[in-house]
Amino acid sequence: MSDDLNWRPVGHERDWPADGGKVVQVGARRVGVYRHAGKWYALKDICPHAGVSLAKGPVRDGVVMCIGHGWTFSLASGDLVSGPAGFSVATYAVRQRDDGTVEVGT
Amino acid sequence: MIAQRRLVVIGNGMVGHRFIEEAVARGLHQSWHITVLGEEPRAAYDRVNLSTFFAGKSADDLSLLPSRDYYHQHAIACHLGDKAAAIDRASRIITTAGGRTVLYDRLVLATGSFPFVPPVPGRDAAGCFVYRTLDDLEAIRAWATGRTAAGEARKVGVVVGGGLLGLECANAVKNLGLVTNVVDVAPRLMGIQVDDGGGALLRRKIEALGVKVHLAKVTSELTKRDDGSVAALRFADKSELPTDLVVFSAGIRPRDDLAKSSGLAMGERGGITIDHACRTSDHDVFAIGECALHQNRIYGLVAPGYHMARVAADHLAGVEDPATFSGFDMSTKLKLLGIEVASFGDAHGSAAGCHQLAFSDSRTETYKKLVLSADRKVLLGGILVGDAAAYGQLHQAMLNRIDLGTNPEALILPTIGDAKPAGFGIAALPDSAGICSCHNVSKGAICGAIRSAKLTEVGQIKSSTKAGTGCGSCVPLLKDLLKAELKKTGVEVKNHLCEHFPRSRQELHHVVRVQRIRSFDELITRHGVGTGCEICKPAVASILASTWNDHVLDAEHAGLQDTNDRYLANIQRDGTYSVVPRVPGGEITPDQLLCLGRVAKKFGLYTKITGGQRVDLFGARLEQLPLIWEELLTVGFESGHAYGKALRTVKSCVGSTWCRYGVQDSVGLAITLENRYKGLRSPHKLKSGCSGCARECAEAQSKDFGIIATENGYNLHVCGNGGMKPQHAPLLAADLSQEQVIRYLDRFLMFYIRTADRLERTATWFNKLEGGMDYLRSVVIDDKLALAAELEADMQRIVDTYQDEWRTVVEDPARRARFRAFVNSDAKDESVVMASERGQPRPATWEEKRDRVANLLTV
């Protein structure tokens, strides 16, 4: 990960479930931060389809499913995995420090 | 250009329509110009299930057309409400009652049948009907709901005819709410399909439903009132049966007048004579269905009619090796007034030297008879009343002449203890065995489809082969075939919970209890591999909760929970949550009602009454949940567990305290039970109902456990289900005291929790339980497994350690801190936007909220 990024702490790893997402604020941005299968991911937290918070949806097999209409997005790329083509959400860099602090880089 | 040839079909009943579908399947609509003429104003509908029209089905529900514009789509001209009046075979012209003339090159007659009305004096009285078309049903309904000349409601109906059609018709009259009588000249019901033993049981069962049966009664006259409406049936023995309505349903006669007047060859007693290709005496004219006479026989069921449709279509299409009609197996399985009846082959044992085996049980109300060949090796036929589950297998054994071995009795005798019910392995059937007779699909075709398309579910077999989509009686066989085929192809049907635990849920439950394991981490370290997944985590969370009853949001359990359990609320599609406080038995105080209203207004929530006698508050943002509960707790509300795989509600009717009919205090019992089992985590949700009398207003028989009050106590029903696949809850035990109800429920519920698979409702669990209700009774009542004391103790521990999950959260700042929209801020969730509809909030549509959330999208 590039260190040109501006890393900002958003919480401690114990705030997250073993597998799943939570929403954080990074300045004016709403970011969904996910822990899944031992890795961290971060996506812009609004479904481009109907404006629902993505991080509330279930996470499995590397995708998060929107609670609104069941569209799924790749946690790694933000690309739409199932649903009408042509939508995606932005991704962000995210990391966990040795002391458990979770940081998002912008 | 050669002018397209013209194919005309007269009749748009079930068989006439099936012919069109068969014709389209063969591409006939591309090479012929097809015209359909129908007398009724409606396109083809399901006459077999006509009685459901009075149980709430609409004419549209009964329609057989795959889509409304099916005929138009396939360029088939369809003229309904215009009866064909004459056929000029010399010029090949049909004229209709409406004055239309239609030319044909080939003609298919599917004119069906009409109900036979015995020639008794007075049959023209007002209030006398036949039972054949939707128009007939509408006329019957109008009369039944009308008033007599004296201004009284009509109360009594009589069906003349105790055969298959008569009983179906009795169901319709009963559905109309009339006192229903069935009259027949024969000494038993369904004389064609069942024998004296089966008929007697059928009569008992039908009478238990409140339908009065009058057999061996010859109607000599219908008497009339002054206004010309029917007053009573007068019988040859001079007795009378007063009535407000009469429906004749005593058999059918072929509608052959059109064919007769056109000079086609007819049977002596009617019916259009056809050959093996379903051709009439005119090479260009076919006849199919109930108007056709094949080797002096009329076939009055739909399956043979469908087969004729196939035969005629094959011959018209000129396919190689066309199907032929050479008689038809009239075996049948049906449900009449909710009673299963099956009859197959030589049901009356008319073959020379044959043996008959019969088993009759007055407790379970079943009658089963087998007719065996002289050497007792081969099944020739049989009758099943009350329980026809074995029909598929027995029918196949008969058709395929399977060797029954030395002990054919076992096929109908009830099983004792853990013994599996006897039966033939499905493997014994040859590939040519016809499994689905409605769609003519063989075992070979089904197994081939399973193998080649890698099918794994019965639904896939249905859509891929059409098997099981007609009457549905072969569906159990499809399941067996699927299981056998999957096993053969090496797809092992494992019962492991998931890849992380090489054990079944039942085994895991056992080790958790016996080894006193209290956390997921401990369980996976000792008995699993890896870190777990979305299947095993919630399943283990449920096992732990139903064993140790810790708070589901305790640190070591919180991360395991499913989406809804995670925040003790039900997430909705806009990302908000709904809140359902517990209302035991549906009894709620005015103060609680006021509190609900106050909370809804204060937090801007949408309110709706649920099906379980509670109030659901929708539209709460995550951070509002503890604040909402803070207020709900003040008037005594507790968590309703609507979010959990746990006990939901015990619905009740008002019971003997208020209701004039109630025989016990159903509300009191419902509250006791709901308070006892509230918070109980289980493999799937649990619903219950408690009715104060046999009128069953609480719908207890559609619940996982249901109690119905009797004069002597309570009847306990278990393993019912509403939802997608409704199933009635069978009776576990009758006339129990309240203490017995609780004891049996403790045992039953714990036994289910221990042994069911994950996400398996009680009904599904029960259907898989070998030995069925007898086995369940032996465990729960007779304590055959010597488990009862343990099950009761386990339940008592859950009851004793109950805590209100929401009170614990509200009173504990650490747990409360989880309920924030953002991990790192107390800001409110701006993505939630409401609009207003019918005076209440609802989630805004994207168009309505786009501007409001635009800033969230752009940054």
Side-chain angles (χ1 to χ4, degrees), chain B residues 375-398:
Chain B
D375 60 3
R376 293 172 56 93
K377 289 269 185 227
V378 179
L379 190 57
L380 300 179
I383 294 167
L384 306 169
V385 179
D387 170 14
Y391 169 74
Q393 267 208 338
L394 294 174
H395 184 219
Q396 287 296 336
M398 175 194 83

Side-chain angles (χ1 to χ4, degrees), chain A residues 10-11 15-19 22-25 28-30 44 46 48-53 56 60 67-69, chain B residues 534 537 563 566-567 571-575 818 821-825 827 829-831 846 849 853 856-859:
Chain A
V10 294
D15 295 327
W16 269 264
D19 220 315
K22 288 223 170 183
V23 192
V24 301
Q25 284 204 308
R29 292 189 183 92
R30 243 178 105 92
K44 182 192 274 286
I46 190 144
H49 171 219
V52 173
S53 168
K56 287 175 179 158
R60 60 193 54 167
I67 209 85
H69 300 84
Chain B
E534 75 284 352
K537 282 178 181 170
T563 320
R566 203 168 285 167
Y567 296 112
I571 194 162
Q572 304 297 331
R573 66 187 314 169
D574 65 337
R818 298 170 51 87
F822 301 96
V823 172
N824 56 348
S825 135
D829 185 348
E830 302 277 358
S831 73
W846 183 228
K849 79 188 244 190
V853 297
L856 300 177
L857 282 171
T858 48
V859 293

Side-chain angles (χ1 to χ4, degrees), chain B residues 419-540:
Chain B
K420 285 190 184 178
F424 322 92
I426 194 97
L429 297 179
D431 271 357
S432 60
I435 300 291
C436 172
S437 51
C438 298
H439 293 282
N440 196 25
V441 191
S442 69
K443 177 188 167 191
I446 293 167
C447 292
I450 294 172
R451 281 196 299 268
S452 63
K454 296 198 168 41
L455 308 181
T456 54
E457 283 165 33
V458 171
Q460 295 171 325
I461 300 181
K462 286 183 177 176
S463 46
S464 143
T465 65
K466 279 188 113 176
T469 59
C471 70
S473 66
C474 64
V475 172
L477 286 175
L478 297 182
K479 284 188 194 153
D480 291 346
L481 275 178
L482 181 65
K483 226 159 117 190
E485 204 53 38
L486 288 180
K487 216 166 164 185
K488 230 194 285 172
T489 51
V491 180
E492 201 184 333
V493 195
K494 277 193 209 153
N495 60 358
H496 295 172
L497 188 60
C498 69
E499 61 190 33
H500 303 107
F501 287 99
R503 286 168 187 271
S504 69
R505 184 186 172 282
Q506 182 176 354
E507 289 164 341
L508 286 174
H509 202 286
H510 183 74
V511 298
V512 162
R513 205 166 40 80
V514 173
Q515 303 179 354
R516 311 192 73 78
I517 293 172
R518 300 194 73 126
S519 75
F520 180 84
D521 289 347
E522 190 185 346
L523 185 66
I524 202 162
T525 309
R526 290 176 63 176
H527 298 284
V529 289
T531 54
C533 64
E534 75 284 352
I535 291 173
C536 60
K537 282 178 181 170
V540 170

Side-chain angles (χ1 to χ4, degrees), chain B residues 210-239:
Chain B
V211 174
K212 294 175 189 152
V213 178
H214 314 264
L215 297 178
K217 288 282 192 185
V218 181
T219 309
S220 56
E221 186 192 350
L222 299 185
T223 62
K224 298 181 191 175
R225 298 169 212 220
D226 293 343
D227 63 352
S229 66
V230 65
L233 281 78
R234 185 169 293 154
F235 300 116
D237 62 10
K238 303 287 180 236
S239 60

Side-chain angles (χ1 to χ4, degrees), chain B residues 503-704:
Chain B
R503 286 168 187 271
S504 69
R505 184 186 172 282
Q506 182 176 354
E507 289 164 341
L508 286 174
H509 202 286
H510 183 74
V511 298
V512 162
R513 205 166 40 80
V514 173
Q515 303 179 354
R516 311 192 73 78
I517 293 172
R518 300 194 73 126
S519 75
F520 180 84
D521 289 347
E522 190 185 346
L523 185 66
I524 202 162
T525 309
R526 290 176 63 176
H527 298 284
V529 289
T531 54
C533 64
E534 75 284 352
I535 291 173
C536 60
K537 282 178 181 170
V540 170
S542 165
I543 292 174
L544 291 170
S546 61
T547 310
W548 309 119
N549 215 14
D550 295 333
H551 198 285
V552 295
L553 295 188
D554 280 355
E556 66 270 34
H557 305 312
L560 307 175
Q561 309 299 336
D562 252 338
T563 320
N564 287 339
D565 272 307
R566 203 168 285 167
Y567 296 112
L568 307 182
N570 294 50
I571 194 162
Q572 304 297 331
R573 66 187 314 169
D574 65 337
T576 64
Y577 293 84
S578 82
V579 173
V580 189
R582 184 167 298 287
V583 182
E587 186 180 271
I588 190 164
T589 66
D591 278 340
Q592 288 176 321
L593 282 170
L594 286 168
C595 174
L596 289 173
R598 217 169 42 236
V599 166
K601 273 185 133 171
K602 177 168 171 185
F603 294 92
L605 306 176
Y606 168 82
T607 52
K608 185 167 191 318
I609 309 286
T610 71
Q613 304 188 328
R614 320 204 268 190
V615 177
D616 206 340
L617 309 168
F618 288 82
R621 296 194 307 272
L622 183 58
E623 66 273 16
Q624 293 177 322
L625 292 174
L627 301 170
I628 290 171
W629 273 105
E630 211 159 53
E631 304 211 8
L632 295 175
L633 290 173
T634 61
V635 291
F637 279 125
E638 297 179 316
S639 166
H641 296 94
Y643 45 83
K645 306 296 181 217
L647 178 82
R648 300 282 172 85
T649 75
V650 183
K651 181 174 171 176
S652 73
C653 70
V654 77
S656 56
T657 316
W658 294 89
C659 176
R660 291 178 297 132
Y661 303 108
V663 291
Q664 306 283 357
D665 176 16
S666 48
V667 180
L669 181 59
I671 293 173
T672 303
L673 293 178
E674 184 157 345
N675 281 328
R676 181 168 182 81
Y677 301 120
K678 65 188 173 190
L680 176 67
R681 291 301 208 276
S682 51
H684 211 310
K685 61 187 170 190
L686 286 169
K687 296 184 176 185
S688 176
C690 186
S691 281
C693 77
R695 286 168 185 77
E696 242 287 65
C697 297
E699 297 162 333
Q701 288 169 97
S702 67
K703 307 296 187 193
D704 295 281

